[in-house]
Amino acid sequence: MKRVLFVCLGNICRSPSAEGIFRKIVKEKGYEEAIEIDSAGTGDWHIGHSPDHRAQEAAIRRGVDLSDLKARQVSSEDIALHDLILVMDRRNREDVRSMAQPEYQHKIRYLLEYSEQYEELEIPDPYYGGVHGFDMVLDMIEESCERLLDSIVDP
Ligand code: 4NP
């Protein structure tokens, strides 16, 4: 069993989108029993909230329903429990690194590190941008999640 946690700032845009997209890919490929998937935010402003409606609408257009997800804040137990903690940007990375014991630092990676298509490491925060930001974020997440699954099942 591999445990994967996606982390962003609010847990209402990028990381719940990654959770939903990765669940779909993992299910389609038949690895549901082998991979546990969750998401959390470094911030506490949106605890208990559903994903941003723009994120939900963009995900629905790709066949992914995020409506059951609820935002929560990442904890030190999360860092101990999960095998991979996949952050969206530098700020998330710094925040999670500062919470993590030295022996867990290696678990923290940028999701975009898995991409073969995108050269950059950060998935930009779409919260203050337009609708197109959400589609671009989903493109980045989808391609990275495909490669992520490859790396887990065929390392
Ligand atoms: P996320 O986006 O980190 O992708 O969930 C954000 C959501 C909310 C805020 C910032 C980013 N906020 O400042 O409230």
Side-chain angles (χ1 to χ4, degrees), residues 28-133:
E28 282 169 357
K29 303 267 169 74
Y31 289 103
E32 276 167 298
E33 305 300 322
I35 304 175
E36 216 170 87
I37 307 163
D38 201 356
S39 69
T42 58
D44 62 2
W45 316 284
H46 296 286
I47 292 173
H49 296 182
S50 301
D52 186 283
H53 67 93
R54 296 165 296 174
Q56 291 201 45
E57 285 155 17
I60 281 286
R61 290 197 289 274
R62 299 180 191 216
V64 175
D65 181 359
L66 304 179
S67 63
D68 285 341
L69 301 181
K70 292 278 180 280
R72 69 179 187 85
Q73 193 170 25
V74 65
S75 68
S76 39
E77 291 75 41
D78 280 319
I79 297 169
L81 176 73
H82 291 88
D83 302 297
L84 269 179
I85 297 152
L86 299 170
V87 300
M88 304 296 147
D89 63 26
R90 189 179 301 268
R91 179 175 174 189
N92 309 150
R93 183 168 182 273
E94 293 307 312
D95 289 341
V96 179
R97 282 179 66 87
S98 70
M99 293 173 65
Q101 310 274 353
E103 69 264 35
Y104 296 148
Q105 296 285 334
H106 69 279
K107 298 179 176 186
I108 303 163
R109 310 282 293 267
Y110 288 105
L111 173 58
L112 217 46
E113 270 181 56
Y114 291 86
S115 169
E116 290 172 4
Q117 184 181 332
Y118 296 91
E119 309 253 303
E120 62 268 40
L121 288 174
E122 298 190 289
I123 299 183
D125 182 349
Y127 189 65
Y128 295 106
V131 171
H132 294 306

Side-chain angles (χ1 to χ4, degrees), residues 8-16 45-46 92 125-128:
C8 64
L9 180 58
N11 194 211
I12 56 167
C13 298
R14 292 164 294 177
S15 63
W45 316 284
H46 296 286
N92 309 150
D125 182 349
Y127 189 65
Y128 295 106

